[in-house]
């Protein structure tokens, strides 16, 4: 790009405002004059059109074409009038004059588009003006006369732009000539003015170039013409002195820096040697690769080449996918990339595939080297070969499964003769025995049953460990299951109040495994009764609530809450409570019995059924075990339809649990429910149904009522 001197820029800065001003004034003058000429032609055309319309009223009314033609030819004598067209009320041509080609076109347009709303048409070559011919008539009736104005025709005049355009061209030539003369004069004046300004600046520029070339002894001669340039010259001279001093100081610094760099180079060489030795040790122990942000390998050490079976050239530039074994799900590597992209360290065990086709397990740690923009620029992976360790673990798992299968088979073999022992005890109890013999047989039966329960727990646990426990999915009635379990546990709950509530909002039938569901609920309910019995200071209560819920994944579920007001569980043992053979404390097994497998089996069964077991507890206040399972409606799983619409129910309930849950059954069926703690004769009528809760006796006077 060509560079210009300061003289050219000064001249441009002086000329440009004058040029802009002159051009602006000329443009304004031309615009005003052009606008006046255009308006003058339009005004003259409109005046001619109105005069022609007024003169043509009689001719149009009388349909006198000769008269109208004469008026049209006279109109062409007016300045700039080019053609005339006279129309009647139906847009038919009555007279024309002048070169009528464009007038005919205008007439055609007038028949379809041109009217009073568009009286002017301009295409740049000529100006078409439309003027209606109006006639005023007076209508007389009995009371008054009314003037009526109507259009009887129209005239179209074509005005030529030729003379106007010629006048515009003359004005433009004059303006350009005046502008040129002014610019020549301005250039001459600018040249004289800039010469006095530029010469001192040129001298200053030459001196500065010499100083820049290293001639620091150069000094600038001050100017007596312009005070600003004189000040600048003094400043440049002072700066030159300072530069000379700084240059000498800089030379001293360079010499010192050179010595420092030599020492730094020695230290860097030593550090690189240390890094090389560390890299050698790491390469001998670990498997190291570096890849770009696109996942392409840019570096791999010899140990990676040795383990993978690929050569160094085969790996560089390749994606790690060439060693993908397909063992891990897609989300596994997505989580890896998300983690390292955020600059965090990712660690996991990864299964890769060697070139020969066998699996290789790596204990892998991947981290990103971040750029200045905070985004990764490359990734480094450090691996350890754990293939042999994985083989040992797999062998241990196989041995564990074999042990579980053996334990399951042995439990089954032991349980068979134990059932025979229990059968014989039942038969002996039916014979004539004295009290001592009954007591001894009871001990044998209780001990055998406890041993059988332990064997059943061991068998279930072994099946789960061996993966041989099958889960059914058949139609199950949650209400029947819950009520049967509570009925079975009544004999054990001698000092504990048992309550059951199944929400009417649940379907009658769901798809589940009723046997395993009973097993889980029996275990949870049995534990609740066991740890609630004998609590001093309050009456024991255990409740089973069954209701619909929403699972953590957003799907519909069914929830079983087993709540008690027993001894409670300490927070520190809750996490270990579901482990095999775990108890709340060492004395629990001695005081309450049990093998410690029940909760572990229940949680495993819940997991196999697609659900989970949760626990919340507080020491001295009780516990709540919650079983949540997916709610799958069976094909015949509609809600149970019980219609109690129009029935009034008086529920006499005294405990809080019954007040909360019992009326829900009746209201869901459509009944109107009134709850009270005692019978009130004023609240009863002959059509009411009386529902009595536990501990409420029916008085003699109310036996005439229907009682539930």
């Amino acid at each position: 790009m060509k560079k210009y001197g300061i003289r050219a820029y000064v001249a441009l800065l002086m000329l440009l405002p004058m040029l802009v001003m002159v051009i602006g004034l000329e443009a304004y003058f031309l615009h005003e004059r052009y606008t006046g000429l255009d308006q003058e032609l339009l005004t003259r055309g409109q005046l001619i059109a109105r005069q022609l319309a007024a003169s043509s009223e009689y001719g149009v009314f009388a349909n006198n074409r000769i008269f109208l033609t004469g008026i049209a030819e006279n109109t062409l004598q007016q300045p700039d009038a080019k053609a005339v067209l006279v129309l009647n009320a139906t847009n038919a041509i009555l007279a024309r004059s002048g070169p009528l080609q464009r007038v005919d076109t205008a007439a055609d347009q007038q028949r379809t588009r041109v009217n009073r709303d568009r009286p002017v048409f301009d295409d740049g070559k000529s100006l078409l003006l439309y003027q209606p011919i109006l006639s005023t008539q007076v209508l007389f009736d009995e009371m008054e006369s009314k003037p009526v104005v109507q259009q009887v025709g129209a005239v179209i005049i074509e005005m030529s732009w030729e003379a106007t355009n010629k006048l515009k061209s003359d004005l433009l030539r004059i303006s350009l000539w005046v502008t040129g003369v002014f610019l020549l004069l301005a250039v001459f004046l600018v040249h004289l003015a800039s010469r006095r300004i530029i010469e001192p600046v040129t001298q200053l520029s030459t001196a500065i170039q010499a100083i820049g070339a290293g001639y620091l002894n150069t000094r600038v001669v001050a100017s007596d013409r312009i005070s600003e340039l004189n000040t600048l010259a003094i400043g440049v001279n002072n700066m030159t002195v300072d530069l000379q001093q700084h240059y000498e100081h800089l030379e001293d610094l360079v010499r010192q820096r050179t010595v420092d760099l030599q020492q730094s180079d020695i230290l860097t060489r030593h550090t690189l040697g240390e890094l090389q030795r560390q890299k050698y040790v790491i390469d001998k122990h670990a498997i190291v690769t570096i890849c770009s942000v696109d996942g392409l390998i840019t570096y791999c050490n010899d140990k990676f080449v040795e383990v993978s079976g690929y050569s160094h050239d085969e790996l560089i530039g390749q994606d790690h996918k060439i060693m993908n074994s397909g063992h891990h799900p897609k989300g596994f590597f997505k989580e890896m990339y998300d983690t390292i992209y955020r600059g965090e360290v990712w660690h996991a065990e990864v299964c890769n595939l060697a070139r020969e086709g066998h699996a290789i397990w790596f204990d892998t740690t991947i981290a990103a080297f971040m750029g200045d923009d905070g985004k990764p620029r490359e990734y480094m992976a450090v691996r350890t070969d754990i293939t042999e360790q994985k083989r040992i673990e797999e062998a241990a798992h196989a041995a564990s499964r074999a042990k579980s299968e053996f334990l399951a088979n042995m439990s089954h073999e032991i349980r068979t003769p134990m059932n025979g022992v229990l059968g014989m005890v039942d038969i002996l109890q039916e014979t004539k025995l004295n009290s001592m013999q009954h007591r001894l047989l009871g001990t044998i039966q209780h001990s055998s049953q406890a041993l059988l329960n332990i064997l059943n727990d061991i068998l279930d646990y072994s099946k789960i460990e061996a993966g041989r426990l099958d889960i059914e999915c058949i139609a199950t009635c949650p209400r029947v299951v819950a009520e049967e379990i509570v009925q079975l546990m009544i004999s054990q709950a001698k000092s504990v109040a048992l309550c059951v509530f199944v929400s009417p909002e649940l379907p009658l039938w769901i798809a589940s495994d009723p046997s395993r569901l009973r097993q889980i609920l029996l275990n949870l309910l049995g534990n609740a009764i066991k740890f609630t019995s004998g609590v001093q200071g309050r009456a024991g209560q255990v409740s089973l609530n069954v209701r619909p819920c929403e699972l953590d994944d957003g799907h519909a579920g069914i929830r079983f809450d087993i709540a008690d007001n027993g001894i409670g569980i300490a927070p520190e043992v809750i996490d270990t409570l579901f482990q095999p053979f775990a108890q709340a404390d060492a004395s629990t097994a001695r005081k309450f019995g049990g093998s410690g497998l029940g909760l572990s089996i229940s949680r495993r069964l819940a997991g196999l059924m697609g659900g989970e077991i949760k626990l919340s507890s507080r020491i001295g206040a009780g516990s709540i075990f919650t079983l949540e399972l997916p709610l799958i409606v069976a094909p015949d799983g509609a809600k149970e339809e019980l219609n109690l619409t129009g029935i009034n129910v008086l529920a006499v309930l005294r405990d809080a649990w019954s007040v909360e849950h019992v009326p829900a059954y009746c209201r869901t069926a459509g009944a109107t429910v009134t709850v009270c703690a005692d019978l009130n004769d004023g609240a009863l009528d002959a059509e009411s149904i009386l529902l009595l809760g536990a501990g409420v006796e029916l008085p003699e006077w109310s036996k005439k009522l229907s009682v539930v």
Side-chain angles (χ1 to χ4, degrees):
M1 183 178 179
K2 187 176 180 180
K3 297 182 179 179
Y4 298 94
I6 189 173
R7 177 173 294 178
Y9 285 108
V10 170
L12 180 62
L13 290 175
M14 297 177 68
L15 281 174
L16 189 60
M18 291 187 288
L19 181 62
V20 171
M21 181 183 66
V22 171
I23 293 176
L25 291 174
E26 289 293 335
Y28 175 77
F29 169 76
L30 288 175
H31 176 266
E32 291 294 321
R33 188 55 184 149
Y34 281 11
T35 303
L37 292 174
D38 293 343
Q39 185 62 38
E40 181 180 346
L41 180 63
L42 177 61
T43 303
R44 187 165 61 253
Q46 290 175 340
L47 179 60
I48 294 172
R50 285 195 292 269
Q51 291 176 350
L52 178 59
S55 303
S56 302
E57 179 182 355
Y58 165 75
V60 172
F61 188 78
N63 198 22
N64 190 338
R65 296 176 180 267
I66 297 174
F67 176 76
L68 294 173
T69 300
I71 294 176
E73 291 177 351
N74 291 334
T75 302
L76 291 180
Q77 303 301 318
Q78 298 292 332
D80 297 322
K82 187 176 181 181
V84 177
L85 183 68
V86 182
L87 308 175
N88 62 11
T90 61
N91 291 336
I93 299 174
L94 298 179
R96 64 180 71 185
S97 181
L100 299 175
Q101 290 79 10
R102 294 196 53 79
V103 177
D104 290 339
T105 302
D108 293 337
Q109 293 177 348
Q110 191 272 347
R111 291 188 181 98
T112 57
R113 293 163 50 194
V114 180
N115 49 42
R116 290 188 180 185
D117 296 330
R118 190 181 180 186
V120 179
F121 179 80
D122 183 10
D123 61 358
K125 296 180 180 180
S126 59
L127 183 66
L128 295 177
L129 301 174
Y130 171 84
Q131 179 67 36
I133 301 174
L134 304 178
S135 175
T136 303
Q137 298 180 0
V138 180
L139 300 180
F140 296 92
D141 55 16
E142 296 179 355
M143 300 298 297
E144 59 181 351
S145 61
K146 298 179 180 179
V148 178
V149 178
Q150 63 179 359
Q151 181 177 345
V152 297
V155 296
I156 296 177
I157 296 179
E158 181 179 3
M159 302 295 290
S160 175
W161 285 105
E162 183 177 354
T164 301
N165 290 337
K166 184 177 182 304
L167 186 56
K168 290 180 180 179
S169 299
D170 294 340
L171 287 174
L172 180 61
R173 284 192 297 270
I174 294 172
S175 298
L176 292 175
W177 184 85
V178 172
T179 302
V181 172
F182 178 81
L183 288 178
L184 289 175
L185 181 60
V187 168
F188 177 74
L189 295 176
V190 167
H191 174 72
L192 294 178
S194 63
R195 186 174 180 180
R196 294 178 59 84
I197 299 174
I198 298 306
E199 286 183 357
V201 175
T202 302
Q203 295 175 1
L204 180 62
S205 174
T206 302
I208 291 176
Q209 289 177 359
I211 295 171
Y215 299 100
L216 298 180
N217 294 324
T218 304
R219 297 294 180 267
V220 180
V221 179
S223 174
D224 56 353
R225 297 179 180 176
I226 302 174
S227 60
E228 289 82 359
L229 292 177
N230 184 36
T231 303
L232 182 60
I234 296 172
V236 170
N237 292 333
N238 294 335
M239 180 187 67
T240 304
V241 174
D242 293 339
L243 283 175
Q244 194 168 11
Q245 295 174 354
H246 284 296
Y247 179 76
E248 294 172 356
H249 177 66
L250 184 60
E251 285 185 336
D252 295 337
L253 291 178
V254 169
R255 285 191 293 270
Q256 181 62 39
R257 186 59 179 166
T258 302
V259 175
D260 294 341
L261 287 175
Q262 291 173 349
Q263 295 176 353
S264 176
D265 182 63
I266 296 173
L267 180 61
T268 301
R269 291 176 182 274
H270 176 73
T271 304
L272 288 176
E274 291 292 331
L275 290 176
Q276 289 291 339
R277 287 190 289 273
Q278 294 175 11
K279 179 179 179 298
Y280 175 79
V281 174
I282 293 174
D283 285 342
K284 291 299 180 182
H285 172 74
I287 301 166
V288 181
T289 59
I290 299 176
C291 67
S292 64
V293 292
D294 299 327
L296 302 181
I297 300 173
T298 58
Y299 168 80
C300 60
N301 64 353
D302 295 337
K303 198 165 184 65
F304 185 73
V305 173
E306 175 187 347
V307 173
S308 66
Y310 292 93
S311 67
H312 187 273
D313 293 336
E314 289 175 327
L315 289 171
I316 297 300
Q318 295 295 323
D319 195 289
H320 278 92
K321 292 180 180 178
I322 63 173
M323 298 183 64
N324 189 354
S325 64
H327 176 80
H328 304 285
K330 293 182 179 179
F332 180 81
F333 292 105
K334 182 180 183 301
E335 189 269 338
M336 175 196 74
Y337 277 109
D338 290 344
T339 301
I340 61 179
Y341 185 80
R342 294 193 301 266
E344 301 174 5
V345 177
W346 182 82
H347 180 265
E349 294 181 353
V350 182
C351 180
N352 288 133
L353 202 65
R355 184 174 185 177
E356 292 78 9
H358 62 271
I360 316 171
W361 279 91
F362 293 122
D363 186 353
T364 306
T365 300
I366 303 178
F369 295 107
M370 309 301 287
D372 295 336
D373 57 355
K375 296 181 179 180
R377 55 183 177 85
E378 60 182 3
Y379 303 111
M380 181 175 182
V382 179
R383 302 175 177 87
T384 303
D385 189 354
I386 58 171
T387 305
E388 188 62 29
Q389 177 183 341
K390 280 292 182 179
R391 289 173 183 168
I392 296 173
E393 289 179 359
E394 183 61 30
H397 291 160
S400 177
R401 287 194 296 269
K403 178 192 69 175
S404 298
E405 292 178 2
F406 171 77
L407 191 59
N409 292 331
M410 290 303 298
S411 299
H412 181 74
E413 295 298 330
I414 297 173
R415 190 173 59 171
T416 300
M418 187 57 63
N419 285 328
V421 172
L422 287 172
M424 291 300 102
V425 170
D426 290 338
I427 294 174
L428 284 175
Q429 285 182 336
E430 297 296 328
T431 62
K432 293 182 179 181
L433 302 172
N434 57 36
S435 59
M436 174 70 71
Q437 291 170 331
H438 271 296
R439 192 162 54 252
L440 293 175
L441 280 176
T443 302
I444 294 173
Q445 185 184 34
H446 178 75
S447 300
S448 300
Q449 187 62 51
L451 180 58
L452 184 62
N453 290 338
I454 294 174
L455 290 174
N456 286 334
D457 287 344
I458 294 175
L459 180 61
D460 286 340
Y461 185 79
S462 301
K463 285 183 178 180
I464 293 174
E465 286 290 311
R468 294 171 52 186
L469 189 67
D470 297 326
I471 299 297
E472 293 184 312
C473 188
I474 61 176
T476 305
C477 180
R479 180 179 59 80
V480 172
V481 172
E483 292 177 354
E484 285 180 351
I485 290 172
V486 172
Q487 189 67 31
L488 287 173
M489 301 302 294
I490 288 178
S491 60
Q492 298 183 21
K494 296 179 181 179
S495 60
V496 177
L498 281 181
C499 305
V500 60
F501 172 74
V502 181
S503 174
E505 298 178 1
L506 286 170
L508 186 59
W509 295 93
I510 65 173
S512 185
D513 188 333
S515 299
R516 299 303 172 185
L517 180 59
R518 287 189 183 93
Q519 182 177 353
I520 296 173
L521 294 179
L522 280 171
N523 182 270
L524 298 178
L525 202 60
N527 285 343
I529 294 172
K530 180 167 46 176
F531 293 103
T532 304
S533 302
V535 177
Q536 300 296 328
R538 63 174 179 270
Q541 182 174 356
V542 176
S543 63
L544 170 59
N545 292 335
V546 188
R547 64 189 69 203
C549 69
E550 182 178 335
L551 302 180
D552 294 339
D553 58 4
H555 292 86
I558 181 170
R559 177 185 178 119
F560 300 83
D561 287 325
I562 296 90
D564 65 70
N565 61 348
I567 61 176
I569 302 171
E572 60 269 14
V573 301
I574 288 180
D575 294 335
T576 62
L577 196 61
F578 290 94
Q579 296 179 3
F581 308 105
Q583 297 279 10
D585 56 55
S587 63
T588 299
R590 296 193 299 270
K591 184 177 180 181
F592 296 99
S595 62
L597 285 174
L599 289 178
S600 177
I601 293 173
S602 297
R603 172 166 279 188
R604 295 284 190 93
L605 290 175
L608 293 174
M609 296 171 69
E612 62 177 338
I613 296 179
K614 303 176 181 178
L615 169 61
S616 61
S617 181
R618 192 173 60 180
I619 289 290
S623 306
I624 299 177
F625 284 83
T626 300
L627 169 64
E628 291 184 351
L629 297 174
L631 179 58
I632 305 174
V633 181
D636 52 351
K639 292 183 180 179
E640 186 176 13
E641 297 294 339
L642 178 62
N643 189 2
L644 298 180
T645 304
I647 297 178
N648 298 323
V649 177
L650 177 62
V652 184
L653 306 171
R654 292 178 179 175
D655 60 288
W657 190 92
S658 298
V659 171
E660 179 182 358
H661 296 94
V662 172
Y665 287 111
C666 301
R667 292 194 178 103
T668 303
T672 302
V673 183
T674 303
V675 181
C676 61
D678 295 297
L679 284 172
N680 185 350
D681 190 32
L684 299 176
D685 56 59
E687 297 181 356
S688 297
I689 293 179
L690 181 61
L691 192 151
L692 300 180
V696 180
E697 296 182 357
L698 182 66
E700 294 294 332
W701 56 266
S702 60
K703 291 184 178 180
K704 62 182 179 179
L705 302 175
S706 299
V707 181
V708 180

